[in-house]
Amino acid sequence: MMDYCNRIQGFINFATSIPRNFTGGGIWCPCRKCQNKKYLHPDVLMMHLLHKGFMKDYLCWYAHIEIFVRNDSMAERVIGSTSSVSNVQ
């Protein structure tokens, strides 16, 4: 559980480190309930992710400034991610 908490905190730290993500004191919440439709304070977002988990198939933080490319097999992959947190479900 502690590893999961650390990964969530890493996600929040990354998302809030980009000024256009973190405006007005909040960021988009990728929990199963909010699905990036609610803008929450990081402390509230932490609780959502701890209790509800990340939304299904949220392997890339598409609402938090990632770049997508297509490879030969047409599978999406992330370029430039600085954390393994994107694999947390």
Side-chain angles (χ1 to χ4, degrees), residues 18-30:
I18 300 168
R20 69 180 186 186
N21 280 347
F22 190 52
T23 57
I27 56 176
W28 295 108
C29 180

Side-chain angles (χ1 to χ4, degrees), residues 1 4 8 31-32 44-54:
M1 181 67 173
Y4 182 67
I8 291 173
C31 80
R32 291 178 187 198
V44 176
L45 185 133
M46 171 69 99
M47 297 309 296
H48 276 224
L49 293 175
L50 284 173
H51 293 284
K52 299 170 176 57
F54 280 83

Side-chain angles (χ1 to χ4, degrees), residues 11 28-31 34-38 55 58 62-64:
F11 167 79
W28 295 108
C29 180
C31 80
C34 296
Q35 297 188 5
N36 284 322
K37 295 176 185 164
K38 288 188 179 179
M55 56 197 245
Y58 196 57
Y62 58 82
H64 301 95

